[in-house]
Amino acid sequence: MKEGELIELFSGVVGSENVLVGEIELASYSYDASNIRGYPDIVVRPSSSDEVIEIMKMANETGTPVTPRGSGTSIVGGAVPIKGGIVIDLLKMNHIIEIDEDNLLATVETGVTVSELNKALTNSFYPIDPEVKGLSTIGGVLSEDSACPLSGVYGTARDNVLEIEVVLPNGEVFHLGKKSPSKERHLMDLIIGSEGTLGIITKATLKLKSRPEERYAFFVKMSDSSDAVSIVQEAEKSGIRISAFQSLYRDALREIGEEVGTDYIDFIGLIELSGDPLWLSTWIPKLREIINKLDPIEVEEVEGEEVKEYWRRVSVVYDIMRKKGMAGLSISFSIHKDKIRDSLQKVDQASMRLNLPAVTTFHPTLGWIIATFLFDPGKKKESERAEKAVSFVGEEVSRLGGSIGFGTGIGVSMIKQYVKSSPDAVKLLEFLKRTIDPKNIMNPGKLIPLRER
Amino acid sequence: MGVFPESLLKNLDLCIKCGACNHVCPIFISQGKMEVLSPRAYLQIPKMIEGELTMSVDFIEYAYECMMCGLCDDVCPVGIRISRLILGVREALIDQGYVPPPRVASMPTKLSEEGLAFGNREEKAKWLPPDYQPSGSDTFFFSTCLSSETPESAVAAFHLLKLFMDIDTIGREELCCGSFLRLAGYKYLSRGALEECVNQLSRLGVRKLVVLSRPCLDFIQKSGKFDAIHVVDVLKEAVDRGELKFNGTKKELRIGIVGYSDSYGLNLSSEELVSQIRGVKIMDMPSWATCGAGTLLSFKAGAKGIRGHFLEMLRIAKDMKLNSLVFVDASLYLVAREIARDKAKVHVYDVPQFLSKFL
């Protein structure tokens, strides 16, 4: 279909001010937070589910690719229209429909950001905040099945949702789930985490969490990354609920000038306990004992507001980039706890072979690791080496049994590694995709390889 | 052929595109969160011009969308000074000989012919009565280039100042300080203008300078020559000393104050001044209803975002049933006046004009 006709069609649905086709306007939808690029032919900005339905019907009729987009914070290219076509910018669908803090529920439109939701809540919160700044939209969080430092205790996005509304590629709308745990959860799970390749999530009822009454944290410096795993295993045995455990690997410590000497530090970690003061009073001495048995190089204990300050100490990726004036390329994966140490060594290998500094954060409770390779943005060779490093880690981690793209999605960046690591999942996904989206118009090229049309 | 210098491109490349800046940008928020009107896009698009996109009039106009409020600079996790880079883009365009939008492009000629960034001498002569006699004070009111476009601001401010202080002003022959040229990217011309302006003031023996508008105040302060202060802050001091008093109003007036995101002092002084008037109720505006030092310049460049931003502020003011919107600076008032012209549902003032109604 010609551009002029598309403009006219969509203007009829969303109004001409919400149809963008200018060169610079389109360019501004050609990126997200990854290195993936692709220009849309048209950007459409719906304000309601009904408008999304109409847009999808037209796209389906004309066989035009559709890329749904929220805040554009994907680090794997999830929001980039690599096959051109239509970008559906969902940021105008940002109404909080209902908040029920007594029952810890919130119903929101897809374009509401995590911080907008959390600002509207008084004594509860929505725990899935992937970049800890609340920038992501709920639609994005659900589509990518995002994780965050609190996922060890609260799970990922799919563990915190009760209902979704989803528009399928043919324009049909489905309401799945109930305000109570429902039989339809397996169907919701099909859509959640499918990275917008099966449909567009337009609305969701989310589970909220009560704000913890008290916070307490151990800040540890230890000489072996396997100690982190031991802490988690022992804590689990003793019934201690660790609410978050974020660690910085030695590659990052080197960058922030942490002393490396005879007491060689392998990682620093912040282990947070939060909740009822009564629980904390029994957990704290137990955890202290567990940690001390492992012969830590240093331990500090902090509580209350001070905990926030210590979070900053283990969230230094951006600080390092700022100080060094370098850009970064990341890979995110989860792995069986016993293989955390091996995986970290793979990151070391990549860093050495390709001669690029790395900054690695890991979450031992989840077995979740995020490695960022730093490079000089002015040097093309270096950015290519960063891509090689990410791809090396991806392959090695797959071999170790890891799950690539955990917490961030596969997007475009991780497809090759994903196909290698999870061939059966890809096969089943392709089968589902053919059934639900026979014309292959929904976010093509993400999660599973593009098939010839 | 590169348009932008290596150093600028390298700084642009530091952006990790996380989008933190977008979510604090007042215009991004007020304009329905269109990515094209976002700090992240302001950093990305120039890089594309260097590669895949071709230089166009649209792009040159686009380079003037940002109003330089600086909120994005505070949240950038990798410490990019975003507004500085956007100014760098403008400077590079000018260096390379690209012609900015008409009302900006006319500034250099205006400067060399009339010693003004905009407006004209004839108009500038009008705000001050022809029989005005210099008072011989070493404190001067700097009426800025704004005085020819919004004489009502200069008249109100000077009138109020005269009530409690011995103050002089240049009037017709006052030279432009170059601040708007600087914001437009005319780096060298603006420096030259500042030098001449400072020379003129020095020759007149000026020690203290009360400046009508904030962009000019910022730039003059760079010279470090005078004790320069914003007119609103001087009025505030006078009220504190009890030298300036205002009457009340019988009918309750609901007003909103629109200020700068990076000038807390000016916003606060304005609020305290306006709250001196009995019967005036200051209503809280939404947090996005704020401006930057480059607001007027961007408006003159024809920025779509600025226009939309002010329309949205006027719309909200109407929804909030406000009688008036009071802007903390004359340059912001000028934009509001121009935009409200056809669709005025709410009165717009700057602080001195609003206060003058209650003398």
Side-chain angles (χ1 to χ4, degrees), chain A residues 101 104-106 108 112-119 121 123-130 134 136-143 145-148 150 154-162 192 204-211:
Chain A
E101 290 198 83
L104 294 172
L105 296 178
V108 298
V112 171
T113 64
V114 172
S115 73
E116 283 166 348
L117 173 57
N118 277 330
K119 267 182 207 151
L121 301 171
N123 43 41
S124 61
F125 72 109
Y126 176 67
I128 310 300
D129 185 358
S136 304
T137 61
I138 296 303
V141 164
L142 291 172
S143 299
D145 189 21
S146 300
C148 69
L150 299 179
Y154 296 126
T156 62
R158 71 169 72 252
D159 301 308
N160 295 283
V161 60
L162 286 166
I192 295 166
T205 301
L206 306 168
K207 286 198 259 183
L208 307 174
K209 306 292 170 195
S210 288
R211 285 197 203 277

Side-chain angles (χ1 to χ4, degrees), chain A residues 347-383:
Chain A
V347 177
D348 283 341
Q349 270 180 27
S351 168
M352 262 184 313
R353 277 193 195 179
L354 292 146
N355 192 23
L356 291 177
V359 176
T360 309
T361 309
F362 64 105
H363 301 262
T365 41
L366 283 160
W368 181 25
I369 300 178
I370 306 139
T372 303
F373 293 93
L374 305 181
F375 60 94
D376 182 338
K379 295 181 181 150
K380 196 159 183 285
K381 284 252 165 66
E382 282 203 10
S383 70

Side-chain angles (χ1 to χ4, degrees), chain B residues 242-264:
Chain B
E243 293 168 8
L244 188 60
K245 283 200 170 67
F246 304 103
N247 297 323
T249 156
K250 274 193 198 112
K251 185 182 154 237
E252 187 190 86
L253 284 180
R254 291 161 61 89
I255 70 142
I257 295 182
V258 176
Y260 288 111
S261 63
D262 59 344
S263 186
Y264 183 68

Side-chain angles (χ1 to χ4, degrees), chain A residues 66-88:
Chain A
V66 169
T67 304
R69 178 187 172 103
S71 290
T73 54
S74 170
I75 60 167
V76 291
V80 178
I82 55 166
K83 292 300 283 177
I86 307 161
V87 161
I88 301 191

Side-chain angles (χ1 to χ4, degrees), chain A residues 345 371 396:
Chain A
Q345 278 167 359
E396 292 297 319

Side-chain angles (χ1 to χ4, degrees), chain A residues 34 37 39 45 71 116, chain B residues 16-17 32-33 35 40 52:
Chain A
S34 71
R37 296 287 313 282
Y39 278 76
R45 314 189 75 228
S71 290
E116 283 166 348
Chain B
I16 53 171
K17 296 178 283 180
K33 298 186 176 175
E35 181 75 23
R40 178 165 59 174
E52 65 221 42

